[in-house]
Amino acid sequence: MNNYSVIGKQAEYFTVSSIIGEGFEVFSSMTENSRVDYVVLDKDSKKLYKIQVKTTTSIRNGCLQYHIKKSSTNYTYRYKDGDFDLYAFVYLPTYEIMYRRFQDVKSSNSIYFRIEKSKNNQQKNVNMWTPNTLKSILDEIQQ
């Protein structure tokens, strides 16, 4: 297992621990080529949510960058509507998670989240890093 795989697994296990801590049930994929990392059961609503975990470990130019496609040697897959419901973006150095609905992420390769305001104070079309909980995003979805 290469270092990227270890970092990815660390973020996945942290995410699962966090989700369980919020009172949800979590089920994992048994294969590496699945488009879903975890399925979460909301015990109250009895609904299932498919989650894809993405990880980064560094800040570049005031931003966190996440690669949002599945790839390995000789293989690239760009996620499509219906593959999963939520991204769990993990910033590993601070153990923070930000959940976003699949349809709210408008990119096919990478997405950037600013952790600080830009020098020119641009706000339009800027994704700010705002960690949240799974419960908070599901409450948003169910309204």
Side-chain angles (χ1 to χ4, degrees), residues 1 14 18 49 65 77 79 93 108 112-113 122 132 142:
M1 203 182 264
F14 169 68
S18 175
Y49 297 93
Q65 178 186 9
Y77 179 80
Y79 298 111
S108 61
Y112 297 85
F113 295 103
Q122 178 183 348
N132 58 0
Q142 294 169 3

Side-chain angles (χ1 to χ4, degrees), residues 22-24 34 60 75 84 89 103 113 116 118 129-130:
E22 288 189 63
F24 296 95
S34 175
R60 290 192 182 103
Y75 172 79
F84 55 90
F89 294 107
Q103 64 263 33
F113 295 103
E116 53 195 42
S118 61
W129 176 250
T130 52

Side-chain angles (χ1 to χ4, degrees), residues 19-90:
I19 292 170
I20 291 170
E22 288 189 63
F24 296 95
E25 290 187 33
V26 182
F27 305 89
S28 67
S29 170
M30 299 303 291
T31 62
E32 283 297 315
N33 60 351
S34 175
R35 295 176 187 148
V36 175
D37 289 323
Y38 298 98
V39 175
V40 173
L41 172 64
D42 182 338
K43 294 184 233 179
D44 296 331
S45 71
K46 306 290 188 249
K47 291 184 179 177
L48 295 171
Y49 297 93
K50 299 176 284 185
I51 296 181
Q52 177 59 239
V53 179
K54 295 297 178 187
T55 312
T56 196
T57 58
S58 61
I59 299 169
R60 290 192 182 103
N61 300 320
C63 294
L64 303 176
Q65 178 186 9
Y66 293 87
H67 299 286
I68 55 172
K69 61 184 177 188
K70 189 171 193 65
S71 61
S72 62
T73 308
N74 301 322
Y75 172 79
T76 298
Y77 179 80
R78 285 176 174 67
Y79 298 111
K80 295 182 225 149
D81 195 26
D83 284 347
F84 55 90
D85 305 304
L86 299 166
Y87 283 103
F89 294 107
V90 179

Side-chain angles (χ1 to χ4, degrees), residues 120-133:
N120 66 1
N121 289 321
Q122 178 183 348
Q123 293 179 357
K124 190 175 182 178
N125 298 323
V126 173
N127 296 308
M128 293 302 294
W129 176 250
T130 52
N132 58 0
T133 62

